Amino acid sequence: MSRWEPDAGGRLREAALELFATTGYEATTVAQIAARAGLTSRTFFRHFPDKPEVLFAGSDTLEQKMVAALRAAPLEASPRRALDDALDVAVALLSERADFARRRHHVIAANPALLERETMKLARLSTALATALHERGVGQRPAAMAAQAAVAAFGVAFDQWAREPGANLRRLVEENLDLLVGLVRDK
Amino acid sequence: MSRWEPDAGGRLREAALELFATTGYEATTVAQIAARAGLTSRTFFRHFPDKPEVLFAGSDTLEQKMVAALRAAPLEASPRRALDDALDVAVALLSERADFARRRHHVIAANPALLERETMKLARLSTALATALHERGVGQRPAAMAAQAAVAAFGVAFDQWAREPGANLRRLVEENLDLLVGLVRDK
DNA sequence: CTAAGCGATGACACAGTGTGTCATCGCCTC
DNA sequence: GAGGCGATGACACACTGTGTCATCGCTTAG
């Protein structure tokens, strides 16, 4: 028997998601989350630097895996191909936890403060992908534009996928990218 | 003689920008900003709903003007053309206050919390433009992708323009969009 | 001219977030 | 079994953001 129940971070995440979904984000306090997990608020802030982050801890992992996939692509691959590899990883990771991802997405979509953090995380992802592309020899501005296009396509696809349980996430991303070409090219 | 100095909001904005630039965003308190403007912190929150917003009050105006420009475009214009009109307005507005815009941009770039808000404002802008496009008959997903592409091109261009005093902001935006087509098309 | 109303501000109290610091207590190692 | 280590609790505190009432000058009706 250990002195404390195991996986304090996981318990806090789960408690937060439940409370945010039922009571709303603003209305639930860190103290309530901690209490439901059998902890104090001081301990909450030892596991997560701030309140919103309790829902975003996993997105750093996603970023790392996408960047790793991009780096692993053959050097002669075009930016588009390399980004496709990164998108494959993201789609796979989200599909694994489809249910959790959808619950989380609904909570985030309903709260401005959480939406703000989510947008920021996507922006960070975009920057990370751009940097990785740049290291492969792509110019700074092309890298930034390509990465933002990929993240935008992913974001729009994810949004739709979260509403339509049956949708094929990977296909949606691809469709969005094809769409983009026509839209921007046709003056 | 009025009882109070005029333009409390403007004084707060200026005081905040100065303090953020010299002392840093986190390190300066709302009380300090208010004191420098000859006010109390309670009054600060009557002019701005929260601390970061003191730097973003103007971006709602920008959004409204861009949307208005998009709506004013001829109905037969392509999404790209309509968005170009909106981008023209943004470029004009920023060029007018180039100096203020650059000071503000440097402060924001140096502070994660402000960066988060800035990213969110751009996301909102993107949503607003997408909605306006959709009302013109463009499908929901194409509208979202086109708007995000435009905002991305603008963001990347602005970032470079803030560093290079001589740059032509409008041309940078256009270059980014052209870049985008090639990057996404070439599998 | 005067009094009532209005609008911006100050003053004060308070809930909630986030941090610093020290104490506690079980587990692990020597 | 003694001491170190790591996770947690307890407590104090600074800062953000809000509710509420008082204040004071300006405006307007009468």
Side-chain angles (χ1 to χ4, degrees), chain A residues 135-151:
Chain A
E135 284 167 2
R136 292 165 56 92
V138 182
Q140 209 145 3
R141 277 205 287 158
M145 288 306 300
Q148 289 205 42
V151 171

Side-chain angles (χ1 to χ4, degrees), chain A residues 52-154:
Chain A
E53 201 61 17
V54 71
L55 287 185
F56 295 93
S59 68
D60 296 340
T61 320
L62 179 66
E63 177 182 315
Q64 288 164 18
K65 293 199 175 180
M66 289 181 74
V67 169
L70 199 161
R71 284 218 177 91
L75 260 181
E76 68 273 17
S78 67
R80 165 77 188 255
R81 283 249 183 265
L83 284 168
D84 273 346
D85 288 356
L87 289 170
D88 285 337
V89 171
V91 167
L93 224 72
L94 259 69
S95 300
E96 269 178 33
R97 316 190 204 294
D99 207 65
F100 178 82
R102 287 206 174 92
R103 273 206 301 158
R104 181 177 163 282
H105 183 257
H106 286 306
V107 169
I108 290 173
N111 292 283
L114 295 175
L115 215 49
E116 194 160 333
R117 181 63 57 95
E118 169 89 327
T119 307
M120 187 59 188
K121 291 286 183 180
L122 288 178
R124 264 191 209 300
L125 169 61
S126 178
T127 304
L129 291 174
T131 303
L133 275 177
H134 184 51
E135 284 167 2
R136 292 165 56 92
V138 182
Q140 209 145 3
R141 277 205 287 158
M145 288 306 300
Q148 289 205 42
V151 171
F154 181 73

Side-chain angles (χ1 to χ4, degrees), chain A residues 1-4 28-30 42 45-46 49-51:
Chain A
M1 273 296 252
S2 66
R3 182 173 171 202
W4 300 284
T28 91
T29 70
V30 169
R42 187 66 187 86
F45 288 110
R46 285 198 182 94
D50 58 25
K51 184 178 167 184

Side-chain angles (χ1 to χ4, degrees), chain B residues 5-73:
Chain B
E5 295 306 308
D7 192 21
R11 270 153 47 216
L12 286 168
R13 254 191 298 276
E14 185 56 30
L17 191 51
E18 288 167 9
L19 286 173
F20 292 166
T22 57
T23 319
Y25 173 73
E26 302 284 357
T28 92
T29 71
V30 169
Q32 289 167 2
I33 299 169
R36 172 179 277 239
L39 298 164
T40 66
S41 57
R42 187 67 187 86
T43 297
F44 177 96
F45 288 110
R46 285 199 183 95
H47 287 267
F48 306 100
D50 59 25
K51 185 177 166 185
E53 202 62 16
V54 71
L55 287 185
F56 295 93
S59 67
D60 297 338
T61 320
L62 178 65
E63 176 182 316
Q64 288 165 17
K65 294 201 176 179
M66 288 181 74
V67 168
L70 198 159
R71 283 220 178 90

